[in-house]
Amino acid sequence: MSQPIKMKPRLVDKIEYWLPKVVMSPTVFLTMVFIYGFIIWTTVLSFTKSRILPVYDFVGFQQYVKLFLNDRWMLALKNLAIFGILFIVICLFVGLLLAILLDQKIRAEGFIRTVYLYPMALSFIVTGTVWKWLLNPTVGIERFVQSLGFESFSFDWLVNPDMAIYTIVIAGVWQSSGFVMALFLAGLRGVDNSIIKAAQIDGASMVTIYSRIIIPSLRPVFFSAIIMLAHIAIKSFDLIVALTGGGPGNSTDVPAIFMYQFSFTRSQMGVGAASAVVMLMGIIAILVPFLYSELRATKNV
Amino acid sequence: MSSKPLADKRYAAITGRTIVYSVLIIVAIYYLVPLLLMVLTSFRSMNEIRLGQLIEWPKSFSTEAWSEAWSQAQIGARDEKGLRPYFINSILMVIPAVSISTILGALNGYILSFWRFRGSDAFFAILLFGCFLPFQAILLPMSQTLGWLGISGTLGGLIFVHVTYGIPFTTLFFRNYYVNIPGELIKAAKLDGAGFFTIFWRIILPVSIPIIVVSVIWQFTQIWNDFLFGVVFSDPDSQPVTVGLNNLVNSSTGEKRYNVDMAGAIIAALPTIVVYVVAGKYFVRGLTAGSVKG
């Protein structure tokens, strides 16, 4: 092999050298300004006494103190905890169960899968509109069951302040569980068949095979699904706006609605910014372990 | 090992299958019933709904609710009626936003895979955070900035926002797709004197069709279904269909017209349902991309 001869770089080569960087630069700019710059900007706002317009009079942690002394915010956090935990747990359970059932060499698997997944194509506004109507006690499911002859049947969760948050779980699960099913199904298809065969030969029952071998091997899928679902839960805004509008009263308030109202309709920008920063912290707290394990996993390969 | 008679075993297997199928079918009904009721209700007349109840088999057929939702219902205080102007806004917004974010994503993915420079891997990691960014953290600065740029409350502003926050996803899709293309192919082309754009056009783009489809479907459904940006960054003239639907359903003047609400919901959902039916395989791929390895 001969050494490549060093030549003075021509203009064309120089252009070729810079071209990728030039093409990439709008994205670098957008990312640095509109993602990271704006996060910093929001954080800065959260330390000012901005109300209807941003003003840069710094007041330390005053807005955060105000935020956590606000009963509505504490209720929003509590609601997010209720909604988030139930939403994630039920979606995981339903998704895994359906994936396992669908993995039993089912006829018309493609059709059934299609049915389970279509709600995911809808916007949360549409989902909220439909379920608002189904859950409405005077016209929806309650009325229907009563008309079947069960006069004393009652299902008024949507208008019951203690129960309304659970109706959001119902609609949320309807929308998102098919997606979790798809994740688990992909995971199940990736499980090594020879291990299962070997276990069968050893006389292990299907229940044992699933609980001891297959489900534990789906750990990465559980992890990904939890991240995605937690992310949906923390950001959830449109579903609740369409379904209950945060009501009755403030009983279905969540941080995303709180942030929107304080920032844009109640002219409390500082408090709104502080709530946004707390939400961001929540996402980061979930994300960092996820990314850490992802990166470690990639290195091991 | 169990030593049950063969007949017993087969009996158990059949019961097992029956249970599996029953559960699957019952759940399928749970997922389908809301859609079915939406469609049925949208074709019933308000007279019939008033007399009977919502969940029942229709006795009449009328497309009145559809034309009402599409072009006659008074939504908010605007002059133009019905969901039509909102629907048109969504189309005018989604086409450029999807195209631009997909093209930029393809170029970024191409560079991050074959034209790496110092810090490009680090930048990719930094960019990925954008996929998980809670948009509440950027709403306030963005509304200020759109004002400064003179595009607040316009479709142009909405398109800009959707492109900006779509790029992390599209870049991720293309980059993960391109890393599986052998680098030797590109190296050989470079030695032959092919330049940056020649390689992109002649070698990369022709093999990118599947991932372009994934990216377009993902961006289309995300942007079409968005409500938060639509409600925060648009004026009545530029609001997308999700905002229009929400205003239609929650306008509390007069009698609740469930058939119109349902027709409106179907109108707002139709484009993404069509995408899902036509390109379901790619829809799932888009959904699961990046969340499952391999």
Side-chain angles (χ1 to χ4, degrees), chain B residues 219-257:
Chain B
Q219 283 296 89
F220 181 87
T221 46
Q222 289 297 304
I223 297 172
W224 188 275
N225 287 343
D226 165 72
F227 178 75
L228 182 65
F229 289 157
V231 82
V232 174
F233 297 135
S234 61
D235 284 344
D237 283 342
S238 57
Q239 280 165 346
V241 71
T242 44
V243 178
L245 174 65
N246 192 52
N247 292 349
L248 171 77
V249 172
N250 290 324
S251 65
S252 49
T253 44
E255 180 189 34
K256 199 97 202 77
R257 309 192 58 168

Side-chain angles (χ1 to χ4, degrees), chain B residues 123 131 157:
Chain B
F123 175 71
C131 296

Side-chain angles (χ1 to χ4, degrees), chain B residues 6-16:
Chain B
L6 200 64
D8 256 21
K9 252 188 173 171
R10 199 185 297 153
Y11 180 73
I14 293 171
T15 339

Side-chain angles (χ1 to χ4, degrees), chain A residues 170-185:
Chain A
I170 297 175
V173 168
W174 181 81
Q175 228 254 6
S176 304
S177 50
F179 165 60
V180 180
M181 184 271 310
L183 286 182
F184 277 121
L185 197 57

Side-chain angles (χ1 to χ4, degrees), chain B residues 84-261:
Chain B
R84 182 171 53 194
Y86 297 92
F87 194 88
I88 293 171
N89 281 344
S90 278
I91 291 175
L92 292 178
M93 169 183 82
V94 84
I95 292 173
V98 169
S99 320
I100 298 169
S101 58
T102 298
I103 292 168
L104 282 174
L107 285 168
N108 291 342
Y110 168 58
I111 294 168
L112 291 170
S113 309
F114 304 116
W115 298 85
R116 287 188 206 161
F117 46 87
R118 216 156 59 89
S120 63
D121 285 340
F123 175 71
F124 182 57
I126 288 172
L127 178 67
L128 279 194
F129 177 67
C131 296
F132 294 96
L133 175 73
F135 293 129
Q136 282 76 17
I138 51 89
L139 287 180
L140 289 164
M142 187 51 114
S143 56
Q144 279 266 301
T145 307
L146 291 178
W148 287 339
L149 295 173
I151 48 174
S152 79
T154 68
L155 274 179
L158 268 186
I159 293 167
F160 176 76
V161 175
H162 281 301
V163 167
T164 304
Y165 298 107
I167 287 176
F169 289 97
T170 56
T171 302
L172 172 73
F173 293 156
F174 283 98
R175 193 268 185 184
N176 283 358
Y177 184 78
Y178 290 153
V179 286
N180 294 321
I181 295 177
E184 287 77 29
L185 204 68
I186 310 302
K187 265 187 205 141
K190 280 185 198 172
L191 282 178
D192 286 346
F196 179 80
F197 281 112
T198 317
I199 297 175
F200 184 66
W201 276 110
R202 307 283 284 279
I203 301 176
I204 298 296
L205 220 46
V207 298
S208 307
I209 306 296
I211 199 65
I212 291 174
V213 175
V214 168
S215 169
V216 167
I217 291 174
W218 171 270
Q219 283 296 89
F220 181 87
T221 46
Q222 289 297 304
I223 297 172
W224 188 275
N225 287 343
D226 165 72
F227 178 75
L228 182 65
F229 289 157
V231 82
V232 174
F233 297 135
S234 61
D235 284 344
D237 283 342
S238 57
Q239 280 165 346
V241 71
T242 44
V243 178
L245 174 65
N246 192 52
N247 292 349
L248 171 77
V249 172
N250 290 324
S251 65
S252 49
T253 44
E255 180 189 34
K256 199 97 202 77
R257 309 192 58 168
Y258 293 101
N259 53 353
V260 177
D261 287 0

Side-chain angles (χ1 to χ4, degrees), chain A residues 56 61 78 86 97 131 134 157 162 164 171 211 220 241 263 297-298:
Chain A
Y56 296 92
F61 283 92
K78 189 181 143 211
L86 286 174
L97 180 73
W131 280 95
L134 283 172
W157 289 9
D162 294 328
S211 62
V241 168
S263 303
T298 338

